[in-house]
Amino acid sequence: MQDGFVYNTDSKGEQNSDLMSQQHGNSYEHSQTMWVAAISIEVIYNLIADEFINLLALLSSRGNDGETETLVASIIGIICDFAVVASSCKSAISKVVVAAGDIDELGNSEIDDKEMYGTSGVEAQKSSKDIFVCDFNFDVQRIHPTLIGSAREMAGYDIGAAVWTSLNCILMLWNCLQPTDTRLVMSEDSESDRKILIDDCFAPSLAVIQHFLRRFPACVMICKSTLSGYLLLSRSVLPLCSDGDFKREVLLASLCKMTSPTWGRDESRYVMQDDGHHISV
Amino acid sequence: MNFVKQVEEQLRDLGTESRRKHPGVKEAAERAILSLRTLQNKYVVAVRKATRTRASSENVQLDGDGNKVKVSHPTTALFQSQDVLRPFLLAANYPSAGNKVLNLCLDGIQALLAGDAICKNDGVNVVRIMSIQANICAAAIQSKTYGGGGMMGNIGMGMGMQMPTAGSMVNAGVGTISSLGNSILSGFGLKGQNSQMQEMQQSMSSSSDGARSVASAVYVSNRSLKEDEAISIRILQTLTMIIDSASLELSEEVLSQCISSCLVLSQCSSESALISSSGGGNGGKQKRKDGGKSKSSGSQNSGHGSNVSHGSGIAGGQKVSGAAIATLRQIISTLFSRAAPGVDVVPSQEYQDAGDEETCTEDEEASLQSLALKTLMDICDLAECKDCGGPFKNALVGHQQRIYPPTQSACFDLLEMVLEQHAELFLNNVDGIQGDLNFFAILNERICPLVGRLLSSFMRGEHTFALRVDGDGKDQTSGNNSLQMILKLTSLTSSIIVRYGNNELLKQQCFKLLITLAKLIESATNVLRDSHEFEVRLLTQMEEVCRHLYVS
């Protein structure tokens, strides 16, 4: 891979022993800063997941100190930054994969699906539709601090879980921004707030989703989540885009880029040609 | 069972039980039975009158001034009499009171409380008695669990906690008793008149001679550890009933005594000190998750079986202390519920025949709001580790032995509970009742800035918590438990944002709190970025992607 480290999903035991040694070696993981950040991410995740509609006005507000960014843009920017920086080394990537879930189990289920598609054409057709169903099954209750009765249990928390939570926090925000969301029975003010949030959060979110898809190509769970992220982004952003809107172009460019085995070294010179329904590089 | 019959039976049992040891109590019980019968006759007359009026379809009657007064069905509140309550208080006042006598007293007091049959101003006398017994029970549980003050002290030190010794607890009990004597006597207006009162006075004075008599009550007590624990739990139940009771005056002294009893009982096990210092809040959370099923949630955090010989005792102590913490939460919650403006106070009595509702007068409401404000200020002060000046101060001072205040995380737990359960009090009290001091102002100008300040201190690294790995490879916390603090603070922040984020006046504070939370993540990102493991090449790639997005 052009990005360097490739984790090995087969050597799970080896990976765990590697993790154990790193757990004691990496001082920053055990530091207070990491814990505080991890807990803060969870709190923000829960606020977005549970109270997004109630807090829409607050999230789209700007501070009294002449701040140009909305509150949610500031927060998502910081979370995106954390997600990228924290998942940019070998040990952290391994831990994110572990935190994301059981790879073998997901892999097996995929094989079963393939067998099923082979036997029934109708079901295969149905399954092909299912690809476009957003599927990020992040169970925050698993690691929510309020469920953690003692500090001893908190010790199980690691950087991988924090990064995984931050990715899901971004996905949850876009899930809440979906126009088809039944919870979003919006007034005009709310609709304009939603547009502001979409504009402000689009760029950092896309950057993170692209980063995760590129860095975790063999982790089924993360790939599913990132593809769901693309889907959520497109559902929220594309209906608001007029012809030639940069967001549409950038979104499609990012997705197309990830489909290619290699994009070349000088990526920025490649420009997507978005001509109506046809996309060409 | 019929209210009168039940109280009479309890009085008779109490008289029989204390016939030999405390003849004064027996005499008082006999007088109380006579008073009860007189009151019963009055009650019957009142019921007949009400029935007659209802039958004639006139619910009004002319009073002495010729005004029309609504005639309602009489309730057991008609049995309010100091004579009926006195024997129970007299008997429970003895530090050496046996298990059976004390249980009869608690039964009687609870029955009277349930029937609203305690005079409005007698609540303070009841809580004083409860405070005495709470001190004695706490001391007894400690000494019986840890085998005496010295040993207990050693264990406390061994676990890294400061534990009050049994002896000092006893002294506290004596101090309370000696101060109680005159107040009860003057409260009843019977000082020096009755023989039972003289006997009570004698018992008070002999108690206040020194710790000996109370000490003997603790150490040579006939009560077993389990009996002391059961009585402690019943005392806590009674305190809750007193605070709940609409017919009793909820004064600052009543509240202080209740808080004091809860704090004393919460410190009766060394493990509980850990709970109150670090996990009390979690216990509360757990309780909420359980739907309030487990009252002594703190005891769920047990798991230390190191002291094998006293294992069951320690578990019992934890049960009591967990219940005490839960009761303190309940008391604070009830206080704020009663202080809520325009809330109709429904009598709690189970014997009430008519369902007429009582409503707090404006004066009562103002006084309750003032008390709630003082309590809130105290909790804020304690959360800031400052000296407080309201009910908590009165609960903490005046004892010969130190009662430990709730810890910071416990205070944040209380604040979270109040802010979550009584949002209307904070949102509807913008104008205030005491000049500039009002619930909204406290939230806006004290609680939110305090939470933000403490969260920021984690960013600056002023708080430290260390996670160390023990010999078995299990992680354990050590040092000042800031981890609990950050959990409490983030939880409180979340509650404030959820409850008050929509409010225009508090929007700015919520904005600041959310930004502070985000800044905590930002500082972690900076730490990671500075670490040797971070691959700069990847950041360059990310920057390239972002640049591409923005350039486009």
Side-chain angles (χ1 to χ4, degrees):
Chain A
M1 290 295 292
Q2 59 177 344
D3 289 339
F5 170 65
V6 182
Y7 50 87
N8 185 358
T9 55
D10 296 329
S11 55
K12 201 176 176 183
E14 190 184 309
Q15 200 179 70
N16 285 342
S17 63
D18 187 35
L19 282 175
M20 284 298 284
S21 62
Q22 283 162 1
Q23 206 166 33
H24 303 304
N26 298 341
S27 60
Y28 70 81
E29 271 189 27
H30 294 278
S31 77
Q32 170 180 299
T33 317
M34 290 300 117
W35 282 97
V36 171
I39 294 165
S40 301
I41 290 168
E42 286 195 10
V43 169
I44 292 172
Y45 175 90
N46 280 295
L47 284 174
I48 291 174
D50 301 336
E51 303 290 336
F52 181 77
I53 300 299
N54 292 337
L55 299 176
L56 192 56
L58 174 68
L59 293 171
S60 55
S61 65
R62 294 166 211 272
N64 284 351
D65 307 329
E67 289 173 38
T68 51
E69 271 190 328
T70 56
L71 175 62
V72 78
S74 306
I75 292 171
I76 290 299
I78 288 169
I79 291 177
C80 288
D81 209 15
F82 174 83
V84 170
V85 172
S87 61
S88 296
C89 68
K90 180 180 173 180
S91 63
I93 287 172
S94 299
K95 288 180 184 180
V96 176
V97 172
V98 172
D102 193 342
I103 298 162
D104 288 344
E105 196 180 309
L106 286 163
N108 287 338
S109 71
E110 274 205 341
I111 292 164
D112 292 344
D113 286 348
K114 279 175 190 169
E115 285 171 3
M116 188 177 68
Y117 303 155
T119 52
S120 167
V122 180
E123 285 186 3
Q125 198 179 2
K126 201 188 281 180
S127 300
S128 67
K129 282 180 186 171
D130 289 346
I131 293 169
F132 297 101
V133 173
C134 295
D135 184 23
F136 64 106
N137 300 311
F138 179 61
D139 183 11
V140 78
Q141 293 298 322
R142 189 162 50 92
I143 48 174
H144 191 276
T146 54
L147 285 185
I148 296 163
S150 68
R152 185 173 291 188
E153 287 174 52
M154 277 299 290
Y157 209 111
D158 66 325
I159 192 75
V163 173
W164 180 228
T165 313
S166 57
L167 172 66
N168 282 284
C169 185
I170 294 158
L171 297 182
M172 181 53 78
L173 173 75
W174 285 98
N175 190 39
C176 292
L177 285 170
Q178 293 294 291
T180 51
D181 193 332
T182 50
R183 293 176 302 172
L184 284 174
V185 183
M186 287 186 163
S187 63
E188 281 185 13
D189 285 348
S190 304
E191 190 58 35
S192 70
D193 284 344
R194 194 175 77 90
K195 284 176 185 169
I196 292 168
L197 297 189
I198 286 172
D199 283 344
D200 283 359
C201 301
F202 174 72
S205 304
L206 182 59
V208 167
I209 290 167
Q210 185 174 307
H211 168 81
F212 273 81
L213 192 53
R214 175 178 284 186
R215 298 297 294 167
F216 301 89
C219 177
V220 177
M221 190 55 141
I222 294 176
C223 281
K224 270 186 165 184
S225 292
T226 50
L227 290 173
S228 298
Y230 274 111
L231 205 55
L232 292 168
L233 276 174
S234 59
R235 280 179 185 169
S236 306
V237 172
L238 295 185
L240 301 173
C241 290
S242 52
D243 285 345
D245 194 309
F246 88 96
K247 288 199 289 292
R248 174 188 164 92
E249 197 176 309
V250 167
L251 182 63
L252 293 172
S254 168
L255 197 54
C256 291
K257 192 168 137 183
M258 300 312 292
T259 58
S260 306
T262 179
W263 193 252
R265 289 192 178 276
D266 200 358
E267 292 177 349
S268 58
R269 289 201 307 181
Y270 289 83
V271 180
M272 292 296 303
Q273 299 297 321
D274 181 13
D275 180 21
H277 298 293
H278 305 286
I279 298 167
S280 58
V281 180
Chain B
M1 191 191 287
N2 178 286
F3 173 77
V4 181
K5 197 176 169 188
Q6 187 184 355
V7 175
E8 191 177 331
E9 203 170 280
Q10 282 156 354
L11 284 166
R12 192 171 292 117
D13 288 349
L14 183 64
T16 313
E17 200 61 39
S18 51
R19 188 179 53 212
R20 286 185 187 169
K21 271 191 175 178
H22 310 295
V25 174
K26 181 178 178 288
E27 202 178 313
E30 283 165 358
R31 281 168 192 266
I33 290 169
L34 291 175
S35 297
L36 198 64
R37 284 179 186 159
T38 314
L39 290 168
Q40 190 180 13
N41 291 335
K42 281 186 186 172
Y43 180 78
V44 170
V45 171
V47 169
R48 279 181 190 154
K49 191 184 277 181
T51 314
R52 236 188 352 256
T53 317
R54 198 172 288 171
S56 61
S57 69
E58 289 175 13
N59 270 352
V60 287
Q61 196 179 19
L62 294 176
D63 64 5
D65 302 330
N67 300 320
K68 284 185 176 179
V69 178
K70 189 182 175 187
V71 177
S72 55
H73 199 280
T75 66
T76 48
L78 218 127
F79 290 90
Q80 285 183 1
S81 159
Q82 290 188 332
D83 283 341
V84 178
L85 176 66
R86 189 180 302 126
F88 298 122
L89 291 185
L90 270 174
N93 176 59
Y94 287 102
S96 57
N99 181 51
K100 198 167 182 185
V101 169
L102 214 48
N103 271 311
L104 281 169
C105 293
L106 289 168
D107 280 341
I109 290 170
Q110 286 187 359
L112 293 174
L113 278 169
D116 283 333
I118 293 182
C119 296
K120 192 176 180 181
N121 298 323
D122 281 345
V124 71
N125 296 323
V126 179
V127 289
R128 282 173 187 160
I129 293 287
M130 293 299 130
S131 182
I132 292 171
Q133 291 300 336
N135 274 291
I136 291 165
C137 285
I141 290 169
Q142 281 185 347
S143 66
K144 285 169 189 171
T145 304
Y146 299 108
M151 185 178 172
M152 184 210 63
N154 288 338
I155 289 172
M157 294 291 283
M159 295 179 85
M161 281 166 283
Q162 295 172 305
M163 286 295 297
T165 63
S168 58
M169 275 290 194
V170 170
N171 289 340
V174 175
T176 322
I177 290 165
S178 55
S179 65
L180 174 74
N182 287 333
S183 55
I184 288 186
L185 296 176
S186 58
F188 278 95
L190 290 168
K191 194 173 181 180
Q193 287 180 11
N194 297 327
S195 61
Q196 67 266 33
M197 283 300 162
Q198 284 164 4
E199 188 192 339
M200 188 173 165
Q201 259 185 318
Q202 282 168 6
S203 96
M204 300 280 185
S205 59
S206 65
S207 306
S208 58
D209 283 340
R212 202 184 312 160
S213 61
V214 185
S216 64
V218 173
Y219 294 118
V220 198
S221 166
N222 289 330
R223 299 203 296 251
S224 67
L225 178 61
K226 280 198 170 182
E227 286 170 350
D228 277 317
E229 285 163 7
I231 286 170
S232 302
I233 300 289
R234 295 205 64 192
I235 287 170
L236 293 169
Q237 284 172 352
T238 313
L239 293 180
T240 315
M241 289 176 80
I242 290 168
I243 297 289
D244 268 334
S245 174
S247 65
L248 293 181
E249 186 188 6
L250 182 48
S251 64
E252 190 170 336
E253 191 183 348
V254 171
L255 184 64
S256 297
Q257 292 280 356
C258 289
I259 292 170
S260 168
S261 302
C262 290
L263 291 177
V264 164
L265 287 173
S266 72
Q267 289 168 13
C268 71
S269 82
S270 53
E271 190 72 13
S272 71
L274 180 67
I275 292 162
S276 89
S277 69
S278 60
N282 268 342
K285 283 273 180 197
Q286 194 68 44
K287 191 164 75 97
R288 252 174 277 155
K289 293 274 176 194
D290 295 348
K293 283 176 191 169
S294 62
K295 195 167 186 178
S296 56
S297 51
S299 60
Q300 291 173 354
N301 287 350
S302 60
H304 290 274
S306 56
N307 194 337
V308 178
S309 59
H310 301 295
S312 61
I314 291 170
Q318 287 169 21
K319 191 178 165 190
V320 172
S321 59
I325 293 164
T327 306
L328 181 61
R329 282 174 60 90
Q330 179 68 36
I331 285 170
I332 302 292
S333 175
T334 308
L335 169 69
F336 280 85
S337 298
R338 289 183 65 176
V343 171
D344 288 341
V345 180
V346 183
S348 58
Q349 56 179 291
E350 57 194 56
Y351 302 101
Q352 194 178 3
D353 297 318
D356 295 338
E357 290 186 355
E358 292 174 11
T359 309
C360 276
T361 63
E362 283 183 7
D363 286 348
E364 281 172 348
E365 193 178 293
S367 120
L368 282 171
Q369 285 197 4
S370 168
L371 186 58
L373 269 175
K374 283 181 189 172
T375 310
L376 187 64
M377 292 289 280
D378 273 6
I379 297 172
C380 291
D381 286 335
L382 290 169
E384 283 189 90
C385 297
K386 287 182 182 172
D387 289 335
C388 51
F392 270 91
K393 183 191 176 186
N394 297 333
L396 295 170
V397 299
H399 300 267
Q400 290 185 13
Q401 157 265 342
R402 187 180 172 193
I403 295 181
Y404 294 90
T407 55
Q408 265 188 307
S409 59
C411 291
F412 284 120
D413 197 38
L414 287 175
L415 281 177
E416 188 183 347
M417 179 196 69
V418 170
L419 291 172
E420 276 207 343
Q421 293 180 359
H422 308 286
E424 76 288 345
L425 207 55
F426 292 87
L427 295 173
N428 300 334
N429 264 273
V430 180
D431 296 334
I433 55 166
Q434 286 184 349
D436 292 334
L437 187 63
N438 60 65
F439 290 102
F440 174 80
I442 293 175
L443 175 59
N444 192 29
E445 291 161 22
R446 279 207 70 179
I447 299 174
C448 291
L450 171 67
V451 174
R453 213 164 46 239
L454 286 170
L455 278 176
S456 301
S457 72
F458 281 95
M459 200 158 48
R460 293 192 298 268
E462 288 171 13
H463 280 85
T464 52
F465 58 83
L467 287 164
R468 62 182 167 81
V469 180
D470 64 11
D472 303 329
K474 292 172 183 174
D475 291 310
Q476 288 184 337
T477 54
S478 64
N480 180 24
N481 205 334
S482 300
L483 185 61
Q484 284 294 337
M485 267 287 285
I486 187 68
L487 283 171
K488 281 277 140 271
L489 282 171
T490 48
S491 181
L492 178 58
T493 306
S494 176
S495 294
I496 292 173
I497 291 167
V498 169
R499 295 277 168 187
Y500 305 95
N502 283 333
N503 188 280
E504 276 300 317
L505 296 168
L506 286 165
K507 206 173 185 177
Q508 200 53 33
Q509 290 292 358
C510 294
F511 187 99
K512 283 179 186 169
L513 286 175
L514 260 175
I515 282 290
T516 311
L517 273 183
K519 296 271 183 198
L520 294 173
I521 304 167
E522 195 175 32
S523 71
T525 311
N526 293 334
V527 170
L528 286 168
R529 197 175 269 134
D530 295 341
S531 74
H532 66 279
E533 289 201 9
F534 176 62
E535 295 171 13
V536 182
R537 193 163 55 87
L538 282 167
L539 184 68
T540 317
Q541 280 181 353
M542 283 311 300
E543 282 173 350
E544 197 178 304
V545 171
C546 291
R547 196 166 48 245
H548 176 67
L549 292 173
Y550 285 113
V551 166
S552 300

